[in-house]
Each structure stands twice: as C-alpha cells, then as structure tokens.
Amino acid sequence: MTRIFVYEFASGSAPSHLGAELMQAGTAMRDAIVGDLLQLPCVATTCAVGSLRRAGFPPSVSGRKPAMAGPQMGEDCFAFVRRVAERHDLSWIVAPETDGTLARMHDTVGASAWIGCSGDAIRTASSKSATSAALDAFGIPTARSLTSAAKRWIVKPDDGAGTLDTRVHSTRESALTDLCQRERDGRRATLEPFVDGEPMSISMVVGGRKPGPVAFNRQRIEIDGEGLMHDVGVIGGAILAQSDARVPQLQALACAVMRALPGLKGYVGLDLVWHPERGPVVMEVNPRVTCAYVGLSERLDRNIAAEIVSMHLRRKTPDAALA
C-alpha cells in the first residue's frame, strides 16, 4: 500500500487573508486529486484540511474516504507539511509560486517523496522573467517577442500566480511608473507587452511513458475599469483536436516547452494567448496542478492521478506499478 499525502495551500492551511474565490478554487483542485486517488485500491490517501468550516470535507469514492490531517496550534504550513509528509511515501503538494512557496514546499518534502516537478524547474517556472529567458533561448514565442508591436503593456509580480496583481496599461510610460513603484515597495515585478488574442491553457502530463498535452482549455480573463486583470475561470477541454485546426500547433508548443524546461514532471499547466497573427504565445508555465485539472480524468475517461503516481513509483522502484 502506497501512502500519499495531498496538501493544497488554500484548503490545507486556510490562511485568513485568502478570499472565498481562492478557497473555492483550491478546494476544487484538492477534491479532484483526492477523488482520483481514492479510485486506486493500492493507495492510502491523507488529505490536508485546515478548516472544515471553510473548505468542507474531502470527497469519498465508493465508500472509501481519505484520512484527514490538520495543522497544530501555532504550526506554520511548512512545519505542518514536513510533519505529515514524513509519515507518507509520497506527497502531492499544490501551492502558489509566490514568495517561493512552492519551491520551499519541494525542499521541505524532499525530492524523493515529491510528486511533481524538480526543484530547479519549479524555481525557473516561478519567475516570469526566468521562464521567458529559458523559452526565448529555444525560440518559443513569449510576450517579450512582441515588444516592437506592443500597443498596451502589463505589469505583474515576477513570481505571481495567474492574474494576481496584474495591471494593464495603455502606455509604456504608465507601465514603467507602476513597475518603479512596485520596486520601490520591495516587490519584484516584470513589465511585458499585452498580447491580444484568445486566452488558452494546455494541460500536460510530463515524464510518463506518453508525455505531452492531454487537454486544451479556454481561459476566461476580464479587465476591470482600473486595468486589473481577473481570472474568472477555465473551460476544460473546450478546444478539440477534431474540430480546431490550431491543435497541432498547440501540441508542438507543449512538446517544445517540455524540452526547454528540464525537470518538468507530473501535471503541468501552460498558459498562453493565441495571437491572431503570431499564433500561440506563452504567458507562463505552472509547475503544479491548476484549476484545469478539475474534471480532467472524467473528461478523458482515464485516471490522470494514477498515471502521475505510477511514474513517481517507477522512479523509486523501477518495476512498481499501480493496480
């Protein structure tokens, strides 16, 4: 029996500053992973629950329920994860890249018990500027490749997740003022062209016997009156290979990103914009489970968690497999 600990940052530690939307999204990701794992008879699952009042009970499947673990009084999220992870064979952690949280979680658990990307890949993907540099070196289009034709500009945290604190500016001068103010406040930020087009994402499973994209999704992004961007949801699997001629280019892009960023493993999310003239332009790489994971196994009629856990078990024991 393989013991797996599932920890999602919002639902597992319930930080008081997180709003209802982030809690809802985090809980949905947690429940999707746990639900997949509960279908595996040779896996015993423990789920982190910071607050039942806010996050609710994790799911049960065919009468099987996960064990639950919560932080002790005064225990921070890293100490909590370390304590529980030590009692498990593998740990599946979903946490933001912001402030190095995901990278620190990787180091807390340790590479041998970690489900997901390597520490180096997480650190690269946690920085917008480092990610762009790595992709640019492989000739993969990023927002920075459209600088000469930019009409609007974006300023966002260099280590931010999604649209967190991302503002659109109509002039470069206004964007530079925003960037300088953030830097004076001690916040690492980056400035890049705003890319016109259709927001998309790609769900990838990396490192198994058939690594590559498994779903192409539509992203719903809104910009409010103050120029702040808001992620209002994802429509998983909305872009279909049999009806959308862009899919071959999206498949090729995903494979190129895997080559450009060594150490990607497990579930990886790729955010992009389909520019009307340039085609797919990469915005960021998410080295962790994203909201597009929710419902993914059901849509594909294959247990994505089983595939991901199997590849990590084979790393520990080459002949290991899930029943």
Side-chain angles (χ1 to χ4, degrees), residues 279-291:
V281 179
V282 176
M283 297 293 105
E284 63 181 56
V285 178
N286 298 294
R288 54 171 171 79
V289 164
T290 66
C291 290

Side-chain angles (χ1 to χ4, degrees), residues 29-286:
M29 288 186 282
R30 177 201 74 182
D31 289 353
I33 296 171
V34 170
D36 282 353
L37 292 177
L38 288 175
Q39 297 179 41
L40 309 177
C42 54
V43 169
T45 305
T46 298
C47 178
V49 178
S51 169
L52 287 175
R53 181 180 62 82
R54 297 189 68 197
F57 286 97
S60 60
V61 174
S62 300
R64 297 188 71 203
K65 298 180 179 180
M68 291 187 289
Q72 298 174 349
M73 185 69 67
E75 189 175 43
D76 69 22
C77 61
F78 301 104
F80 167 45
V81 166
R82 179 182 297 107
R83 174 173 58 83
V84 182
E86 287 175 348
R87 305 200 303 263
H88 292 76
D89 302 301
L90 295 169
S91 292
W92 196 332
I93 310 295
V94 183
E97 296 91 333
T98 309
D99 296 328
T101 301
L102 185 63
R104 187 175 170 188
M105 284 291 182
H106 173 275
D107 295 342
T108 296
V109 170
S112 64
W114 179 264
I115 294 178
C117 299
S118 71
D120 287 343
I122 290 171
R123 280 181 276 273
T124 297
S126 295
S127 165
K128 303 293 189 297
S129 55
T131 300
S132 291
L135 299 182
D136 290 342
F138 272 74
I140 297 171
T142 65
R144 297 185 183 196
S145 66
L146 302 181
T147 297
S148 61
K151 297 179 180 178
R152 289 188 286 174
W153 300 84
I154 283 180
V155 179
K156 57 187 177 182
D158 190 59
D159 63 352
T163 58
L164 176 69
D165 200 17
T166 297
R167 189 180 296 274
V168 180
H169 295 268
S170 58
T171 66
R172 183 176 174 85
E173 290 72 21
S174 173
L176 284 170
T177 299
D178 183 1
L179 178 67
C180 291
Q181 183 59 56
R182 296 188 194 210
E183 291 177 344
R184 282 194 294 270
D185 294 340
R187 295 179 290 161
R188 292 176 55 221
T190 185
L191 183 154
E192 62 187 37
F194 177 87
V195 180
D196 291 304
E198 181 181 355
M200 302 178 177
S201 69
I202 302 176
S203 300
M204 302 190 293
V205 175
V206 186
R209 289 172 174 151
K210 293 183 179 180
V214 295
F216 306 98
N217 320 300
R218 297 191 194 279
Q219 299 281 92
R220 297 165 56 209
I221 306 294
E222 294 179 353
I223 303 173
D224 67 22
E226 297 182 351
L228 287 171
M229 295 184 71
H230 301 276
D231 184 346
V232 294
V234 59
I235 306 174
I239 301 169
L240 303 176
Q242 58 267 37
S243 60
D244 198 313
R246 298 173 295 181
V247 167
Q249 278 185 265
L250 295 174
Q251 291 172 325
L253 176 70
C255 293
V257 169
M258 288 189 292
R259 291 191 296 269
L261 296 177
L264 295 181
K265 190 168 187 179
Y267 182 95
V268 176
L270 177 60
D271 291 345
L272 64 126
V273 171
W274 188 280
H275 188 272
E277 297 175 359
R278 298 292 295 274
V281 179
V282 176
M283 297 293 105
E284 63 181 56
V285 178
N286 298 294

Side-chain angles (χ1 to χ4, degrees), residues 2-3 88-91 110-115 265 309-320:
T2 301
R3 300 163 299 169
H88 292 76
D89 302 301
L90 295 169
S91 292
S112 64
W114 179 264
I115 294 178
K265 190 168 187 179
V309 171
S310 287
M311 72 175 73
H312 286 82
L313 288 176
R314 282 194 293 271
R315 177 194 65 196
K316 295 168 74 73
T317 305
D319 295 330

